[in-house]
Amino acid sequence: MNFDVEVKISLKKGMLNPEASTIEKALALLNYEVSNTQTIDIIKFTIDATNEDEAYKEVDEMCQKLLCNPVIHDYEITISEE
């Protein structure tokens, strides 16, 4: 079976996020006041697996090994049947 996968990766709370800080400063220069800005990376792909649980386990392993750094990143996995 094929499953559509979406992985959202963000920095953990307390980690410095220079990209978000730059966005907040640029928006302030344009007279937009925002706070608590976060940036996230979204990775989408399709995976072939026997069932949704197997797909989740494989994607979690991908996240741990390659897609993010679990020490500084949080990630959220969403899986749906294609």
Side-chain angles (χ1 to χ4, degrees):
M1 297 178 76
N2 285 328
F3 295 92
D4 290 326
V5 177
E6 180 179 276
V7 180
K8 294 180 183 178
I9 302 169
S10 61
L11 288 171
K12 289 186 178 211
K13 298 276 187 217
M15 298 300 299
L16 292 178
N17 189 339
E19 184 178 27
S21 297
T22 301
I23 291 169
E24 279 189 19
K25 289 175 187 173
L27 287 172
L29 290 173
L30 296 171
N31 294 320
Y32 296 106
E33 291 300 321
V34 298
S35 61
N36 299 321
T37 304
Q38 295 180 6
T39 56
I40 59 172
D41 293 323
I42 299 175
I43 302 170
K44 293 183 177 185
F45 56 92
T46 301
I47 188 170
D48 183 40
T50 307
N51 56 49
E52 190 171 331
D53 288 338
E54 180 186 316
Y56 186 90
K57 287 177 187 176
E58 285 186 39
V59 174
D60 187 58
E61 188 175 302
M62 291 176 194
C63 290
Q64 296 284 331
K65 290 183 175 182
L66 177 69
L67 298 178
C68 69
N69 179 346
V71 174
I72 63 169
H73 293 120
D74 286 326
Y75 59 91
E76 178 184 327
I77 300 169
T78 305
I79 296 178
S80 58
E81 200 170 322
E82 189 177 51

